Structure formats: C-alpha cells, structure tokens
Amino acid sequence: MVLPDYAELHCLSNFSFLRGASHAEELVARAQELGYAALAITDECSFAGIVRAHVAAKVAGLKLICGTELVLAGGMKLVLLARDRDGYGNLSAIVSLGRRHAEKGSYHLTRGDLARGVPGCLALWIAPADAAEGDARWLAQAFSGHAWIAFERHLAADDAGRLAALRALSAATGLPLVAAGDVHMHARGRRALQDALTALRLKTSVDAAGHALFPNGERCLRPRLRLARLYPPELLAESVRIAGLCAFSLDELRYEYPEEIVPHGQTPERYLRVEVEQGLAVRYPAGVPEKVRSQIGHELALIAELRYEAYFLTVYDVVKFARTQGILCQGRGSAANSAVCYALGITEVDPAQSELLFERFVSKERNEPPDIDVDFEHQRREEVIQYVYGKYGRERAALTATVISYRTRSALRDTGRALGIDIDRIDALTASLAWWDQREQWPERFAAVGLDPRSPRVEKWLVLAEQLRGFPRHLSQHVGGFVISRGRLDRLVPIENAAMEGRSVIEWDKDDIDALGLMKVDVLALGMLTAIRHALDFVAQRRGQVFRMQDIPREDPEVYAMISRADTIGVFQVESRAQMAMLPRLRPECFYDLVIEVAIVRPGPIQGDMVHPYLRRRKKVEPVSYPSDDVKSVLERTLGVPIFQEQVMQLAIVAAGFTPGEADHLRRSMAAWKRKGGVGHLRDKLINGMLDNGYPREFAEAIFRQIEGFGEYGFPESHATSFALLVYISAWLKHYEPAAFLAGLLNAQPMGFYSAAQLVQDARRHGVEVHPPDVQRSAWETVLEEDAPSSVRLGLRQIKGLDAEAGARIAAARPFRDAADLARRAGLDRNALDALAAAGALAALAGHRRQAAWAVAAVPVQRDLLLEAPAYEEAVSLPPPGEGDDIVADYAALRLTLGRHPLALLRTALAQRRYVSASTLRSANHNAPARCAGLVTHRQRPGSATGVVFLTLEDETGLVNVIVHPRLVERQRRELLGARLLGVLGVLQREGEVLHLIARRLVDHTPLLGSLPTRSRDFQ
C-alpha cells in the first residue's frame, strides 16, 4: 500500500501548559520519523514553543508551520496558521491582543476581534458534533476563501455520523474539509502523563477526573498507514495542500533597531563616532593612548560593517538616563571587552590597562547581535525599566520571558497530587529530597517516608515525575532582558501581561532570542551597587562633600591586607566560603590579583586543573615556562595557566591558527561539549593547528584538556575585571568606613551571601556600635548616628510587620510623649503598634518589651469602638524579660540581636558536651581531633565538588568551615539537612591560614535552641 502524504495542522506542545504532553523537539522528531510532509505547532494562544520547534525542524529537515489554537468567547475553537510574514505578524498581534486583555496565564478573544479575519492566515474550525450552520457561515465570511472545517477522528462511537454531518455542513457553506489530529503528545506512551496534566489543570486527581480525560491515546502523532485507514484520502491530501499554502519561516524575522536614539539629521554611524570621541576626551584628558585609539578604530569598523551602531546607542541612551538620575550602573560580561563601551561610559574596564579581545563580544563570523549586560542599583532599577517603557511604549518594548520548568521536587509534588497521593506523604517526600538526588536514589527516598517503591502506584508516580521533569510550568519575566523594536513589537513576537503591574513580557526566552538573532538589552539589578550608593552617601554626608566611587583611593595596601586575611564578610564576590578559603592562599596584592581571584574560584578553572598550578607558580615553587613567545604573550599575565575565556580564544588564534571568529565558535562550543559530544572536528583542528605550528603534542593535548575542563563555566576576563572593581570598592568601604558600609548593606537587603544578623555581628567585631530601632530616633532606613558617625542606628525597616508608609509617618511626626501620642499622630493601627513593641522600638516611650506590649494594648487606635473613651486602667509595672527571652524576641522581630550571641548562653551546655568555640578551634594543630558546634548559616554543594557538602557554622566567637564527604552526607542526611544547631566531630585540616573541620560525625542539637528562630542560606 502506498502511504499517503500528510501534514499535521493541529498540534500542541507542552507550552500549552497542562495540556501538551511532549516537548516541541519530540514532536518534530516523531513527525520526521513518520514521514509527515509538515507539522504545525499550534499552542493555545501562544507562540512560546515555536522557536524550539523551529530549531529542531531545521536540523531534521521538516517543514514547520507556525500557528495557534484559539477558543473564542462563546466556545468556538479555531486553529489559525500563518501563510507569510504579514500573516505571522497579524497572528502574533492577535495572540498579543488576547493575552493583553486578560490576566497573566489566560486570554480573551471574541468574534469581533476576528470579524475581518486575520490577513495572511488560514483558519481551521474545530467543529463540535452539533456544529451550527450559522457559525460556519460567519467563519466563511470572516476568512473568505481561507477557511476549512477540520475533521479530527479519535475512534469515538459517533465518528461516522460526525463525518457525515460535517460533509453536509461543508456542502451547505462551501467550507472544505481537512483531516487534523488535535495532537497532544508525540507518542501513545505519554497518555498517562497527559491524563495527569489534565487532572492538574482541573485541580483534581486522575481518578476523579472522569470524562474530562481523553478516552484513549489517539491524540498522538500516528503512522500514515493508520491515518489512511481512519480518514478519507481527500481529507489527508487537503492537509498537504494547506501546508503548501504556508510558506512562512521564522528565519524571515528581521530585527529593526529604534530610530529615536539618533538626533535628527544624523546617521547612527556618525552619531556613534561623535559620542565615542567625546567620551574618550573625558576618559583620557591627557590624550588617548595609541593602543586604545587603534582598538577604537578596529571596533568602529566592525560595528559599521555589521550595522550595530543603533544597538550600542540604544544601550548608551539607557545608561545616560541612569547617570542623569544619579543611579549607579556598570556594564559587565563580554561588553567589557569593548573600548567603545568604555568610551560611552557603559563599562568601567579601561582598555589601556587590559588585554581586550573584541571578538569575544562581537564576531563577524558569528554575525549575531552583541549582548551588553548593565547592572543598576537594584532598588532603583524599576526607574530605568519604566524609562524604557515610557520612551518606546508598551507596544515596542517588553521584557523577555524566563521559562520556569519542573524540577525534581515540583515534578514529584504535582504528579503525586494528580495520582491522589496523600499531601502529607508528598510533603514528607519532597522535604527529604536534595537538589542533587539522582533518579536512581528516588526509591530510597520513597521508602524512607513509608512508601513502597515497588507498589504499582508508586512506580507509576516515579515514571510520571521523571517524564514531567524539564517540562515548562509557566512563563515568568526575565531578570531584565529588554527587546526594543522600531515598529510594533507584537508583530515580531506575542506580548503578554507580566505578573508585576506596569510590565509586559514577550513569549520567548533568552535562548529563543539568541536562536533567532534578535537584539536584547539587559537592564539588570545588582544589590551591591545599591549598598555602595547608600554607603557613599553616608560618607559624603559625614565629610560634608560629594564622595563618589572614583574618589576612592586605588591600590591601598591595607585594603589588600584585609582581603588577604579573608576578612571579607559583606564584600562583593569574595565573601563566599570558597573565595574566603582561596584569599589567604592567593593573597591579592594588586587589582589584577582581584581579577584572577574572582575568576579562579569557578568550576571551569577547578575542573581544568588550573588552580593549583597557578598557586604553585605564584609562590615560586614551580617554574613558569612557555613553548613560544606567542604563547607567552597570552599566558604571561596568569603565569602560564589559562584562566580566562579570552585566553582560550587567544591561544587558539596564536598557536593553532584560528581566526578570531573561529576562536569564538570554539568558546561557544565548550558549553555544549559535555552535553552533546561530537567535538572531534574541533579537537582535531585545535591540536593539528598547534602541531603544524611546531608545538609539541604534549602541550597541545594539555591545552585541549584545559579548554575542555572549562566547559561552560569559564569566566571571561572582562567580566571578572568589572566585578573586581566592585570587589575593591566594597572592600575599601568595609575597611575605612565600616559603619557606612554596614548601613549600606542593611538598607540594600535582601542581597548577598550573609544575613543581616551576620553582617551586624561582623561589623560589631570591627568596632562598629549598632543601636536598636527606636521610634524617637530611627528613620525608615538604617542611618549613621549624627553625634557618633562610627555608630549605626537600625532603621524601622528592620522590624517585621511594619510597612514603609507607617515608618515614614513615624519619622515625620516625632518626637512623641508616649505610646498613645505615637499611635494618634503617626496614624498607626494595632498591628504596627504590636510590631514596634515586640521589636523593643518603644523603649524610650514605654520601657522594655513586656511593658511596651502592655502599654500599646491600652492605646485606642483608629476604628476602635471606644476611640474617645477615657482610660481608667491603672499603670502596672511588669518584670523585664530574661536575656534568653530577649534574644528569642530579637530574632523573631528583627531577625538579629544586639545582645549576646545565642550560643554564648549555651556555651556551658556545649562545653559539657566537649564542644569548643570557633576561636579555640583556630589554635588547634593540623590533623588534630576536634569538636565544634554552631548555628548553621550556609549549606553549599558546588557541582564541581564531586558530592562534597560545605557547611558554615557560627558561634559567639566567629565562623567554622566544615567539609562533609559524600559517604557521611548519605549516612547522616537528616542531621545534615535538618539541623539548625549542629555539632560536628571531626579532624581539623590546616593549610596556612585556611582551616576546615573535616566531619566524621554530625549531631543535631536544635532542641537546645528552644523557640529561637534561625534560618540558613542553603545551596544558593
């Protein structure tokens, strides 16, 4: 039998959330395997999955049709397919209209929205069994000559009768019939998952879903032989004819840059050159160095050739706005390789002091838009975002999406709910899982919570959860990636409302944008910039003059000495335990050492075995040698060890004869090597190129191994340099202005590696006096005390349960006579008064916490029935709380205490258990047995650590770093993941100033904390 040609015109991917049960890539692969003439991806009122399908279809050689399924108000279901570029744009605008008219996650369209059809599109009506002739005539009029009735056969009892009815309807209205499949999965094996998704969508279980589930597995991509037995041949042939009418491909999309960034009468090329020259004059008042002048010429020529001027000017415009508003910002990433970006003030990496490789940023061979990341103060970034919306309008600017996908816990939770598993069992199971647990470990976790992993129900749960992992759950907004267009953006990609008011997002994520070569401007948020801004303002206020980042003295030996001691709590980038363990070994002495420090504590250099050789050479215990002067020119600044991505590229150029564009392709391919394999041609080209240039095979093989070790984790030098600037600035502030630095950090929370409690503890160890919130003295933000600039007064923002508006009213209305006066003049409700009393912020008005709570209980507030009634209650004197009670109350109300550390109160009990303090541990010998206990502040398990878990414990004398090896991780999993006060019995490991406690046994002492609320930052 000759197999008929067929094109599937109605197919949903898993981007039709909780409906489609297959990835777009799986659908494309299966359609190609079955020999389909074409496949249409028609997600419900969405183009979110089309780019992934497009990329897969290009590889598979399958024709892809872009379309969407729409259910109009009243229930009419249509599938619309784009014929050409105009049709695609019109269809994208219709999807945007439907999404923008409804809340996030839904859409609303009426027949009126389609009254004139959608020019350039074809319409398929998914007609119900009782299809009305009036509906068909409306469709025939709206989509004159471009509408069909789809017959979708899924082995229902009335298939023959329904086909006859549709034939009659077709004859009466002139709408031709076509075969379609209403595909929800690529293969029948996904039926159980599709049932589970349906149950989740309906907020019920599979058992209770009943007839809402599909009756069989026919909604899959079916073999053509089977289709020939199900459908009349003319309907199958019509599907192919319709596919032939659809000639649009996403490759036709062309991005057009905004025009208003260029002054009237100027060209983008001319305006960019003018602004660059003006910027160079500011950057180099004594004259532009020849190296920089040459680099600028090279960059401008390549930018002009690729016509990227408007992109640079678009970012420049955003940065100019931020600077005029006094918003700190700084470009980072590969953009810091650009001298043009430095001249425009987008980045702060001086090309005169660095080795730039512009092709790391812009490459002729790559021929895709560059990617400039700019960080802004995180508390003021919204001003920048709204500037972009205001300048270009919501029709021309939108944030990119981020696809939130199912991970292990969420997949197990949702499939468990769909199967009707008891919610307590689900909670117990997911709570027992760690992010690193592999699929083969799941049965053990099931058994640990009392579930038999061999029971049919649990086995089905495992299978469904594994299938669901990696599925998209919903679209969220990107952290700051903007797409800005010259014309209407909704004709390029659908736009929908974001969850946050005043924002909208496109339906494609960063990878989709990259795949299509569209421009994105990253308006990112960085908490450290906010903290630095606050700290600089405090310093300026105290000194009585403007104080900026550029006013901070550079290369201060005392700052580097502090960094080398790993005294870096709160300092940008070098505050993690891994960085703090590296600092005493590397001992930075200059700015470039900070650049290396930022980059070397990364999985790439670690996995590439670059860390120890670098440290040995830095200490001069290992000689540095180079096989050629060309290699020396690349690696001399890092002692012969490639640490940065740019060095990998430069090595490929100077040693293996790669062009700059080929070297960038090599860098980009590194990320895919371990995932996809197939790197033989790159390996051979690299090694053979080195051999042809006279390099020994041993050297070539070693370089390849180091490059391979980078994987996707290597750091670009330009990025490290941008971050190193903030490392030094934040370290200088910590060393010379510790009070201002602490106040800045607290006002920028939440951010960084440490909690407010740890930041305050560290600052107090550095001599900073910290005073509690006080309604008579505190502002909303934390401030420096006017009469004691080395003292900090905690802001009212630190109090749980108090909002900013109430805090502002308190600051504006003081001073107060008593609690009643406070409540009346600041307009406080009962909750605000109780929060202030619990935090001890009423001490100046009402005494200690208990007394304050009694006082505010008697204060009438607005909306009290007895607001005007006189108070007859006599004053009472309550005993003050004990020290332990005060500490517990501090943590509950402020998340920190200014009293003694909680473990100071437990020291006797801990000493009885033979635990020593962190300060005592620091004097112990290498390999000595040791016992220490502390509050767990951090848990980390880097992907490069081969299963090792790192803990940080805190007591009243400092921090202890603990290493837990994989065998103990599994043996004492409960204590490791669950304890808040943890005892560790182990062996002390000392390497110079770096100490680690190697755990041999873990003990959970959480009950000793009583009701003290503590939290750790785990696996961030």
Side-chain angles (χ1 to χ4, degrees), residues 68 124 159 291 294 496 554 592 623 691 770 903-904 910 955:
T68 187
L124 277 59
D159 279 350
K291 173 185 175 182
S294 174
E496 61 181 49
R554 301 306 165 97
Y592 196 72
L691 294 177
V770 183
L903 262 62
L910 295 174
D955 68 11

Side-chain angles (χ1 to χ4, degrees), residues 34 160 206 336 439 577 663 852:
L34 295 174
V206 172
R439 168 65 175 80
R577 59 164 297 147

